[in-house]
Amino acid sequence: MKGIVGKKLGMTQVFDEETGQVTPVTVIEAGPCPVVSVKEAAVDGYDAVQVAYGEVAEHRLSKPKLGHLKKNGVTPHRHLLELRGLTGATEGESVTVESFEPGDRVKVSGVSIGKGFAGTIKRHNFSRGPTSHGSHNVRKPGSVGASATPSRVFKGVKMAGRLGGKRVTQVGLTVHSVDPEQNLLLLKGAVPGPKNGIVEVREEAKRAGA
């Protein structure tokens, strides 16, 4: 299973001169990511590979984090992420974009763009109320429960609140092209997060019968 950590640079489009087709792609600057540690199901209970991303100066890191990296022979890096399900890696080696090929099916995880406090129309796609005959229910959520029974509001009722800023995984993406010289991955479609946001690119498991 393949996996790598990178930074979302933004979106652009690629033009195919032969077919005339325009493909929207997201550009991700991924790796090289040195492998810090490898966890195995027999010892740790699950398979995972911990990788580092984003080289920084030593004084930018805490002593525990710096000691953890030095213990495994890795230079100071800002981000440490664990990619579950990955196997076959060895400590000290570097994961690069060359492990991916055009046409690979991948999924990308990242923290979505935070939009602050939002109402139910924007957050949950509610419909607005009537605006005629003196109605004041224009963008209100409406009823959130009965009064006498159960005399409370059930958990999980859709209301206004914080929108975005959560971990999101976008599945069904395809690798359009790979640029090993500049450590770039071009993925067909959009991925979660703002520009310069940290994202995880992992190979998508094949579904049964696919």
Side-chain angles (χ1 to χ4, degrees), residues 13 31 36 46 51 57 66 76 78 81 85 90 96 108 113 116 124 129 152-153 162-163 190 192 202:
Q13 54 189 19
V36 180
Y46 63 97
V51 297
L66 199 61
R78 184 181 298 278
L81 291 99
T90 57
T96 64
V108 179
I113 297 174
H124 299 297
R152 64 186 178 88
V153 178
R162 186 167 179 255
L163 175 62
R202 291 167 290 167

Side-chain angles (χ1 to χ4, degrees), residues 1-2 39 46-49 82-88 202:
M1 190 173 180
K2 307 170 186 176
K39 295 190 176 183
Y46 63 97
D47 292 316
V49 175
E82 194 172 272
L83 303 175
R84 289 204 174 198
L86 268 65
T87 56
R202 291 167 290 167

Side-chain angles (χ1 to χ4, degrees), residues 143-173:
S143 175
V144 294
S147 58
T149 304
S151 299
R152 64 186 178 88
V153 178
F154 285 119
K155 290 183 179 180
V157 175
K158 293 180 179 179
M159 297 185 183
R162 186 167 179 255
L163 175 62
K166 296 182 179 179
R167 179 179 169 86
V168 179
T169 300
Q170 178 65 52
V171 300
L173 299 173

